[in-house]
Amino acid sequence: MRPYREILKMALITEKGSHLQENSNQYMFETVLDANKHEIKRAVEQMFKVKVKKVRTMNMRGKIKTLGRFSGKRPNWKKAVVTLEQGHHIDLVEAV
């Protein structure tokens, strides 16, 4: 079993993500590609000391980018939307 710090790469702070935080108590994270829902749930619970209700995952395809006549592809990545139990929350950004 991997350490939980290797499973979660970073929290995704976007306009859609902040809307989900305010209305549905859901948080978005970028994770490693081969992580499953059980590992993500365990990692969030251990890292932030909260109770997770549900985890949804999506495999995101990397975009093809062009710079002049050269083109390349960004890497694929996995996004997880974590729903917390009622009364639990994560303080990602409070300084704004």
Side-chain angles (χ1 to χ4, degrees), residues 33-83:
L33 276 173
D34 58 341
N36 59 30
K37 292 182 181 186
H38 300 291
E39 290 176 334
I40 295 169
K41 178 180 178 178
R42 206 172 302 128
V44 171
E45 287 179 345
Q46 288 179 357
M47 186 177 265
F48 298 106
K49 308 289 189 256
V50 293
K51 185 72 176 159
V52 175
K53 183 177 184 180
K54 182 169 66 169
V55 176
R56 295 181 299 156
T57 60
M58 292 152 268
N59 288 320
M60 309 299 289
R61 287 186 145 175
K63 295 180 179 178
I64 295 175
K65 293 292 184 176
T66 305
L67 181 63
R69 64 185 182 125
F70 302 103
S71 64
K73 183 180 173 293
R74 288 188 178 171
N76 297 335
W77 56 288
K78 184 177 243 184
K79 177 169 47 172
V81 178
V82 177
T83 305

Side-chain angles (χ1 to χ4, degrees), residues 1-11 29-32 35 39-49:
M1 187 168 139
R2 289 186 287 202
Y4 63 89
R5 295 201 182 269
E6 291 180 8
I7 295 171
L8 298 177
K9 287 186 178 179
M10 66 177 173
F29 295 96
E30 182 179 346
T31 64
V32 293
E39 290 176 334
I40 295 169
K41 178 180 178 178
R42 206 172 302 128
V44 171
E45 287 179 345
Q46 288 179 357
M47 186 177 265
F48 298 106
K49 308 289 189 256

